[in-house]
Amino acid sequence: WFAGQGRNGRKGLRSFSVSGRVKKPGVHLAPAGISVRELIDEYCGGMQAGHAFYGYLPGGASGGILPASLGDIPLDFDTLQPYGCFIGSAAVIILSDHDRATDAARNMMHFFEHESCGQCTPCRVGTAKMNTLMEAPVWDTDLVEELSQTMVDASICGLGQAAPNPVRCVIKYFPDEIK
């Protein structure tokens, strides 16, 4: 029975913790391989009144940010990697046209700075420096990318390695918000 569940070649069920601008946030048991658009429509009651689907974080704070135009990608481990994202624990956050991806990325980077244990310089200093760079009305994308790569390559743990994901996604998928 379990293997008979799933979509897009995936098998089984998965718990998705959905928050954000949907009518019914919460933990939803849905077919593995479901897309975020299907998850919103079939399990979350659609978007809140007056809100249009704008973007989503498929794997929580460090899983990256994707635009609504990529809302038909199956939510799974291997399907999101080509887009610079990951599913993680499936903590899906839905953004609407009332939100900005840059605001979400700034909020997450402040969180990562606060949560850094401070043991390694790339994470401790990198998250603080990234916050400063992200406060500029126009981002220095070359410098942001250089810092991102340094954090990915040299941070000791996953926090510092994944912290740049939302920032990189904003540059790639929401460039109008930073120019």
Side-chain angles (χ1 to χ4, degrees):
W1 174 86
F2 186 79
Q5 307 297 311
R7 296 184 185 170
N8 298 305
R10 302 320 192 261
K11 293 183 180 186
L13 298 171
R14 179 163 189 148
S15 297
F16 294 90
S17 175
V18 185
S19 63
R21 307 292 189 157
V22 293
K23 288 181 184 175
K24 292 176 13 185
V27 177
H28 300 281
L29 188 63
I34 194 170
S35 72
V36 72
R37 197 175 307 279
E38 293 168 327
L39 187 63
I40 292 168
D41 293 341
E42 297 173 30
Y43 291 84
C44 299
M47 296 295 292
Q48 291 176 350
H51 293 264
F53 181 37
Y54 177 67
Y56 65 106
L57 291 76
S62 57
I65 307 173
L66 293 173
S69 62
L70 295 176
D72 294 318
I73 300 168
L75 293 172
D76 211 342
F77 295 99
D78 59 337
T79 56
L80 294 165
Q81 288 174 341
Y83 301 94
C85 295
F86 60 83
I87 189 76
S89 61
V92 182
I93 303 168
I94 307 299
L95 304 177
S96 82
D97 56 345
H98 294 236
D99 302 307
R100 291 175 42 91
T102 51
D103 291 340
R106 282 185 189 104
N107 185 36
M108 288 177 277
M109 192 57 66
H110 285 293
F111 169 77
F112 294 135
E113 181 182 9
H114 181 265
E115 291 301 309
S116 174
C117 73
Q119 182 178 352
C120 71
T121 303
C123 182
R124 180 184 67 250
V125 175
T127 54
K129 179 64 175 175
M130 191 71 78
N131 273 318
T132 301
L133 294 172
M134 293 170 68
E135 292 304 322
V138 177
W139 292 5
D140 181 341
T141 56
D142 291 337
L143 186 55
V144 166
E145 178 53 31
E146 183 179 342
L147 178 57
S148 294
Q149 194 59 52
T150 299
M151 291 173 68
V152 168
D153 291 342
S155 293
I156 294 171
C157 80
L159 188 142
Q161 295 165 3
N165 288 346
V167 179
R168 286 175 150 175
C169 286
V170 165
I171 292 169
K172 185 173 184 178
Y173 300 113
F174 302 91
D176 293 344
E177 290 193 21
I178 58 171
K179 294 182 180 179

